[in-house]
């Protein structure tokens, strides 16, 4: 990979617990709440701790330990109102959302928040959720085709005075949105590990989110996306999911990990595993986001244990730099006890990462 990634400081985001059950599918006691008051305070703590982004989750139905879910766009605006610098990424699910509605919502929030709103386009993997709300369930390739059209429509509506589009899923004729979002325009994130997901990111997205992975595994994904994005005369930034367990000793951190797994909600994890395997098998390559995930991996539902950010603050900081070396631009982090551990991460780990980043730059200049 090139050294272009090195000079820019690694950015940090956290998963907003706007759904119940925390960030692990486990019955272990958690001091994490899903209500608005807790999340406003968490956003303020994260902003003070040095986090750049917060990502709200999108769920329409109960399941996998998340019996209650706050809507993502509305909740994002509430967090923006409680903060001054933090950017918030609102999750949007094509199907329930039409790009005209989404473009107008996000443009208004851009004005209300001084351009601190971004979006994460979720193509969908849970067939039962679509069935429950009466939305057609498209096959794997069609879901990504629709998401790509959705993104193209968002950009066109935000950028053009009169937007016309004739696609397989959306149609616009001389549509003019005013006011348009403030500058800079909202960033567009997306995830997925399939060929279709990576190719879509290379064509239209600003950011590509990947599940947690080894350094070697994520390096291969990044190289693949960057080759494709260069073919499209584009550049895509990379975000990776990870779950952090920072303790005074590695032994203590590993003990917490084992306790989380030992208290796993077995029925919920197996149900999640079944649905994700079905989603992956629907892709042409028969491999989706969780194709190589074990039961233990799925206790953190975005493979957050795989990056192994588990240990002392120094160990975690050094591990983070390993990911920066291969081109990760942002870490999307989950925690067991969000308020306390986000504060700790900002106080004990981010400063260590910054020191190691300076050492990395010095190495490159030598």
């Amino acid at each position: 990979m090139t050294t272009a990634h090195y000079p820019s400081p690694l950015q940090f985001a956290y998963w907003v617990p706007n759904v119940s059950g925390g960030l692990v599918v486990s019955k272990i006691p958690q001091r994490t709440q899903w209500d608005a008051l807790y999340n406003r305070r968490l956003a303020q703590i994260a902003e003070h701790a040095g986090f750049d982004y917060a990502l709200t989750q999108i769920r329409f139905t109960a399941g996998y330990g998340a019996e209650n879910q706050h809507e993502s766009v509305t909740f994002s605006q509430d967090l923006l109102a409680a903060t001054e610098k933090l950017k918030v990424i609102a999750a949007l699910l094509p199907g329930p959302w039409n790009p005209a509605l989404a473009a107008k919502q996000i443009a208004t929030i851009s004005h209300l928040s001084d351009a601190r709103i971004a979006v994460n386009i979720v193509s969908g993997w849970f067939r039962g959720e679509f069935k429950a709300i009466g939305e057609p369930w498209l096959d794997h390739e069609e879901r990504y085709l629709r998401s790509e059209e959705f993104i193209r429509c968002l950009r066109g509506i935000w950028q053009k005075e009169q937007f016309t589009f004739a696609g397989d899923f959306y149609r616009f004729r001389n549509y003019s949105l005013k006011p348009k979002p403030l500058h800079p325009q909202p960033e567009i994130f997306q995830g997925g590990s399939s060929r279709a997901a990576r190719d879509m990111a290379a064509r239209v997205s600003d950011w590509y989110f990947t599940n947690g992975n080894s350094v070697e595994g994520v390096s291969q994904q990044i190289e693949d996306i960057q080759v494709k994005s260069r073919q499209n005369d584009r550049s895509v930034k990379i975000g990776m999911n990870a779950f952090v367990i920072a303790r005074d000793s590695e032994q203590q951190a590993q003990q917490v990990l084992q306790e989380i797994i030992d208290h796993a909600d077995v029925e919920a994890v197996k149900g999640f595993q079944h649905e994700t395997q079905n989603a992956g098998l629907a892709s042409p390559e028969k491999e989706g986001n969780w194709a190589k995930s074990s039961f233990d991996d799925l206790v953190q539902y975005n493979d957050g244990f795989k990056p192994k950010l588990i240990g002392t603050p120094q160990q975690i900081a050094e591990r983070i730099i390993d990911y920066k070396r291969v081109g990760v631009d942002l870490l999307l982090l989950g925690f067991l006890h969000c308020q306390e551990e986000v504060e700790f991460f900002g106080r004990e780990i981010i400063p260590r990462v910054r020191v190691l980043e300076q050492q990395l730059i010095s190495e490159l200049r030598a």
Side-chain angles (χ1 to χ4, degrees), residues 112-132:
L112 296 175
S113 66
D114 195 23
R116 291 187 289 126
I117 185 70
V119 296
N120 180 38
I121 307 304
V122 181
S123 296
W125 57 266
F126 186 14
R127 182 174 184 171
E129 183 174 51
F130 276 71
K131 181 178 179 181

Side-chain angles (χ1 to χ4, degrees), residues 12-26:
F12 296 99
Y14 74 93
W15 282 98
V16 174
N18 59 300
V19 304
S20 61
L23 277 302
V24 290
V25 189
S26 176

